[in-house]
Amino acid sequence: GGKEPLSFYLGGIWFRLNNEHLYIEVNDEQMKVGGTGNFLGGGAFYGNKWHQLSFVYDGKNLSVYLDGVQKNYEKINFSGDLKLNLNYDNSWLKSGNTGATLFDDLRIYNRAMDNNEVVTLYKSGLPLEPGELIWKVDVGWHVTSTPVISQDGKRVFVGSWDERLYAFNSKTGEKLWDAKSEKISESPAVYGNAVVYAGSWEGLYAYDQSNGDQMWKVSFGERSPRPSVGVDGTVFVCAGKAVYALDPESGGEIWKYSAEGRAYGSPSIDSNGNLYVATEEENKVYFINGETGEVIWRYDLSGKAARSPAIDADGNIWIGSRDNKLHKINGINGTKIFSVDCPVGNNPIIGLDGQVYVAQGRVMSAVNPTNGDIVWQYTVKENQSLSGSRSISADNTVYFGTTGGDASS
């Protein structure tokens, strides 16, 4: 009705004409798409191409958009209810009576959209070219953490040095909420579609994914790296020389294990809910019972740990040490399987075929998981170095960034 602002987004009437006309009647005033002598355009709308119509009614005036562009059309004034009808070639639109004209995705919003929203909605329905930027948003300062996606794929979470955690619509980039924190330099972690956890320079935060409300905060007096979340929701985090298991509802401590050296990186969790944690100064890997915090075994590295361990499909552990060695460890009993001489400065990543990839400085190496042989090595340019995390696709393509400004695969 005419009492509340109402936005008709017929992006939906994404429509496709084939030598026919689309008629839109608004309170008995007719507009036509296709043919000649009409404000929405002529025969250019033929040829089986999709177009979009949007109507924005602000409670008094109606504005019309075609393919995200507002048309130069005298606004229609209303004093009563708004009535909208669609037909093609003067045959009213109904099931089984659409000829060669196709319609899709009719949406009705309960508010008036602004111009930017109309354009964004139009663009979101267009096919994208490979490598095309879908959306970009600016935040208050540096973003050095990797964005994470909610389990349902609808939200993207990222922390910034402006002391805020942001949630964005994954399709449009629309900001859903932002929440106060300290500087976030590590990636957040999510649990289902309910909670997002963010480690900061002051502690660990838990937020409601739907609205950004802070559920709890735990301060360790130390910078908190990215937490890990168990299958039952238990939150595991390393801070200083300790490993913590926290209750997901309250942040309360379930158990704490104090190591001799600084616990490094994020805990790695196996299929049974147990943890693998590396420490920096004492050069060890710990295998810890996830329920009790009891240490099951320790493994001595040949140098300082290079971030977190990785777990392969057979339950074996892969971790690098800063003396340029990659270690393969039996995950059950903590015995050494073999070690490989190669540059390692970050977490190993493992492909679907089991091949292991590590990097340090300018060199990336692929390692045979059976015998430790170097399969290949790739060296970036002299003015570059490998930085950040690497990702691997299902076809074993490795994606990485460099300090020289390149992202490569």
Side-chain angles (χ1 to χ4, degrees), residues 344-375:
V344 187
N346 213 318
N347 306 341
I349 59 173
I350 302 174
L352 291 179
D353 61 354
Q355 189 155 279
V356 181
Y357 303 88
V358 293
Q360 168 69 2
R362 295 172 52 214
V363 180
M364 179 182 295
S365 306
V367 179
N368 184 302
T370 303
N371 55 26
D373 288 347
I374 303 296
V375 179

Side-chain angles (χ1 to χ4, degrees), residues 60-217:
K60 182 179 180 182
N61 298 314
L62 179 76
S63 301
V64 184
Y65 295 79
L66 180 63
D67 291 342
V69 178
Q70 186 171 1
K71 303 304 294 186
N72 293 323
Y73 178 71
E74 183 178 351
K75 292 183 177 179
I76 307 171
N77 294 321
F78 301 99
S79 58
D81 291 345
L82 177 65
K83 181 177 69 175
L84 183 69
N85 295 317
L86 298 171
N87 67 43
Y88 82 97
D89 276 350
N90 288 324
S91 298
W92 289 111
L93 177 62
K94 61 183 180 181
S95 177
N97 188 31
T98 57
T101 298
L102 299 178
F103 302 92
D104 189 25
D105 190 19
L106 170 64
R107 303 186 188 188
I108 299 178
Y109 289 77
N110 63 354
R111 60 181 177 81
M113 296 184 295
D114 60 30
N115 290 1
N116 290 334
E117 288 180 294
V118 174
V119 172
T120 298
L121 289 168
Y122 165 64
K123 290 183 176 180
S124 70
L126 294 175
L128 295 171
E129 297 296 326
E132 181 180 351
L133 179 66
I134 299 174
W135 54 261
K136 172 186 175 183
V137 294
D138 293 324
V139 296
W141 205 7
H142 303 308
V143 175
T144 58
S145 66
T146 302
V148 296
I149 303 172
S150 62
Q151 190 174 57
D152 60 10
K154 295 180 180 180
R155 295 176 293 273
V156 177
F157 305 100
V158 65
S160 169
W161 281 28
D162 65 351
E163 300 186 347
R164 306 203 75 81
L165 177 71
Y166 294 88
F168 299 102
N169 182 297
S170 61
K171 299 297 183 185
T172 66
E174 174 190 4
K175 187 176 80 171
L176 303 177
W177 52 260
D178 64 274
K180 174 68 176 175
S181 69
E182 281 87 20
K183 292 180 181 178
I184 299 175
S185 58
E186 300 281 351
S187 301
V190 297
Y191 180 60
N193 299 311
V195 187
V196 57
Y197 302 99
S200 74
W201 287 20
E202 297 295 331
L204 179 67
Y205 291 81
Y207 300 95
D208 186 317
Q209 285 191 27
S210 64
N211 54 25
D213 287 349
Q214 182 178 312
M215 300 169 58
W216 49 259
K217 174 189 175 183

Side-chain angles (χ1 to χ4, degrees), residues 283-334:
N283 308 339
K284 291 185 184 295
V285 178
Y286 289 86
F287 182 38
I288 301 174
N289 184 298
E291 291 187 2
T292 65
E294 177 189 1
V295 173
I296 300 171
W297 54 252
R298 299 172 179 81
Y299 177 87
D300 291 317
L301 297 170
S302 54
K304 289 185 177 181
R307 302 291 288 185
S308 303
I311 307 172
D312 67 21
D314 297 322
N316 297 311
I317 307 306
W318 296 82
I319 186 170
S321 54
R322 297 193 180 277
D323 57 349
N324 289 330
K325 289 188 180 295
L326 175 65
H327 305 261
K328 182 179 182 180
I329 306 167
N330 185 300
I332 297 175
N333 56 31

